[in-house]
Structure formats: C-alpha cells, structure tokens
Amino acid sequence: MNQKLIAAALLLSSSGWALAAQPLLAPAALSPLLKDPQLRVIDIRDAKGFAVAHIPGAVNAPYGQWRGPASNPGELPDQAKLVALVQSLGLTAQTHAVIVSTGKDATDFGAMARVYWTLKSLGLTELSIVNGGMQAWDAAKLPTTSTPVQVAPSSYAPRFDARWLATRDEVQQHVKLSNAVLVDSRPDAFYQGKTQAPAAKLAGTLPSAVQLDFNQWFVPGSSTFVETAQAKRVAARIQHGPDMVAFCNTGHWAATDWFGLSEVAGLPNVRLYAGSMVDWTQSPDMPAMQNMPGRGEQLLRATKQWWEKKLN
C-alpha cells in the first residue's frame, strides 16, 4: 500500500497535481523522491559527519548556522545572514526542503524542527523532516555517498514572516492578559525550577505555563516521531486556546512542541518563543516567574556556575 501511495504521489507531481509535502517523511518514502529536481535535502549535521556519508544529493548547512549568538542561541540570526544561507543552498519558494540530522535522540529532533520552523517563516511551504534522521536512513539500508554536491545559488530573497514567532514583548502581554496558553517544553527539573540553562539568570517557568515535555512526542526508546493519531493524543494532554506559545530554554526543545502541535496535530495559531527562558530572564526588568527557587538557592547556584566557569 505504501509503495502504491508513493507511486501515486510521484505521478501527480509529474502531471502538475502535486500533493502537499508531508511534515514527516520516513526514509522509504523519501528515497524515490530524490529524483525530483525541486527537492533539496538539507543535512544539518557538522561538516565532518556529512563528509563521511550523506544522502545522495544532500547539501550541508550545520545547525549552528541557523542559531543565534552564544549569549542566547535561541535568538534568530539577522535577516541578511538567513537570506544568504538560503541562497547558498539554492532554495526558492518552490523548493521541497527536506531536513535531516543524526537522529540519535529526541533532542536532536529539535534541531530539525527548529530549521523547519525557520524555513517556514522564510516562506517555504513544501517542508519535511526525515523521521529518525540519518540513523533511520542507515537502518533502512538506503544508499549514502561521500561525494559533495555543488548547487547553484538562488536569488530568492525572502522576508521573515513572524506569524509563528512570539517575541518577549508579546509573551509579556500574554502573561499580563492571560490570553494565550504558554507551553513549557522542558523536562520536570527545568519546569519545577530545580535546574536552569547556563545562560538563564533565573530558574523557574513562565507564570501559568503548562508543561508538555518534548520527549512525549516520540515512540518510547527511540528518536522516531509518533504518527498523527498519537500526536493528537499527545496534544490533548494540555489545554488548548486561540493562541499557544511554546518555549523552553533557547527555543530548541520548544521547536519540537511547536512542530508536534502545529504541523502534525494540526492546531492553529501555535507560535514559538525563539529566545525562550534565556531571553526572558535576561530582561533588564525583573521578569515574572513561577516555580522560582528561594533567594538562598539562587545564590548557591550562581556561585556554583561561577566556579565552574572559572575552573574551565
């Protein structure tokens, strides 16, 4: 049945009746699509891993190129940098971009989801993620190559569409007015304020936030994203609202929640707070927080972090 569906999709594509790209592609479904000149596989692993073996025809754009500065990697690179990156990969508004990474674990999936979110915000409408990444591709015994591919740069000059982005100011308004569901994508220790990201100035979560640990989107014990029916059940574990904002520490784990809620479960008006808790706690004003540890505990953690940085 799967082979028939793939053949039908290819037939429709060649006749001008292309089906919309699926947000998740199993390796077996991607393999026959590689002949499509409009398809571009974007491998976001480091250059060394890419050089050893990659999907035929793939181009390399390591994840760090899609991220912000060390002070907060969740911030977006500036518009000019993103446009230059997209053009160097030969992407256009008509490209079916397929993102792949190592697939080693659920955290790695967040890198693919974050790049997917970025490309969608830059105007690409045909987007997919390789479910399970290169680990799944290799497990399916599909071909790889070490031959680099040269692609002609494009002249595509997109403008960033902020429909799927939540800024700090917007989140502050949501907190003030209680008019959006704020979804904390982090595991318990972060949500409960027992630990924090190194660049975050405070531990805790946003006021009234609900928790949806990003790990819940995966088949237990694997890095395989669940099927649509199960994704809808995962999404149903939290309250829904007219607006939803996913956040984490630096907009990485939250990209997985955004992808699951928006692209797979099909919920409308889901946005990503790209800077997330690192951005929130770096606010010059004392930010509103929930589950924040006591003053003594905060000083102890700050001292520990200072010593660790000094020793390193």
Side-chain angles (χ1 to χ4, degrees), residues 103-115:
K104 65 179 180 179
D105 54 29
T107 288
D108 181 71
F109 187 94
M112 296 188 284
R114 177 65 188 248
V115 173

Side-chain angles (χ1 to χ4, degrees), residues 20-304:
Q22 297 300 305
L24 286 168
L25 275 180
L30 171 62
S31 183
L33 301 178
L34 294 179
K35 297 177 182 178
D36 184 349
Q38 290 282 22
L39 184 138
R40 179 64 41 81
V41 177
I42 303 171
D43 190 321
I44 62 171
R45 295 176 297 159
D46 61 63
K48 183 177 179 180
F50 177 82
V52 172
H54 54 264
I55 295 171
V59 292
N60 189 215
Y63 184 47
Q65 296 181 16
W66 305 89
R67 299 285 273 166
S71 58
N72 186 1
E75 293 179 8
L76 282 164
D78 64 49
Q79 173 76 10
K81 182 178 178 181
L82 285 175
V83 170
L85 177 57
V86 163
Q87 291 178 344
S88 72
L89 299 173
L91 304 182
T92 70
Q94 290 73 44
T95 302
H96 178 187
V98 180
I99 302 108
V100 66
S101 188
T102 65
K104 65 179 180 179
D105 54 29
T107 288
D108 181 71
F109 187 94
M112 296 188 284
R114 177 65 188 248
V115 173
Y116 179 111
W117 173 85
T118 303
L119 289 173
K120 181 169 184 172
S121 299
L122 288 171
L124 274 72
T125 58
E126 300 295 303
L127 290 164
S128 303
I129 287 173
V130 179
N131 200 1
M134 286 303 299
Q135 182 171 282
W137 184 269
D138 292 337
K141 301 186 184 306
L142 292 166
T144 59
T145 182
S146 60
T147 304
V149 175
Q150 297 293 327
V151 297
S154 74
S155 58
Y156 181 49
R159 295 186 65 83
F160 191 89
D161 185 340
R163 275 183 290 174
W164 300 284
L165 171 69
T167 65
R168 183 198 295 168
D169 288 344
E170 289 169 339
V171 174
Q172 286 174 337
Q173 285 300 306
H174 288 318
V175 169
K176 180 180 179 180
L177 300 175
S178 299
N179 61 353
V181 179
L182 305 177
V183 184
D184 191 331
S185 308
R186 301 173 300 169
D188 289 345
F190 290 97
Y191 176 71
Q192 295 170 1
K194 295 178 180 178
T195 190
Q196 65 198 72
K201 293 186 177 181
L202 298 168
T205 189
L206 294 176
S208 303
V210 297
Q211 185 192 23
L212 185 61
D213 186 332
F214 75 98
N215 288 291
Q216 297 183 56
W217 296 103
F218 299 90
V219 175
S222 79
S223 60
T224 302
F225 205 93
V226 297
E227 295 183 354
T228 302
Q230 178 59 20
K232 290 181 177 179
R233 287 191 284 270
V234 173
R237 294 172 187 171
I238 61 170
Q239 67 187 92
H240 298 163
D243 288 290
M244 303 179 73
V245 177
F247 69 94
C248 56
N249 290 321
T250 62
H252 177 97
W253 289 335
T256 296
D257 268 9
W258 173 85
F259 179 83
L261 293 166
S262 173
E263 307 301 280
V264 186
L267 298 179
N269 303 321
V270 183
R271 292 178 293 151
L272 175 70
Y273 181 12
S276 286
M277 291 306 296
V278 169
D279 176 71
W280 185 258
T281 62
Q282 290 178 352
S283 169
D285 302 319
M286 182 64 179
M289 297 284 287
Q290 180 177 297
N291 298 346
M292 196 167 66
R295 180 66 177 169
E297 176 66 21
Q298 291 181 55
L299 289 172
L300 183 62
R301 288 184 191 175
T303 302
K304 182 179 179 181

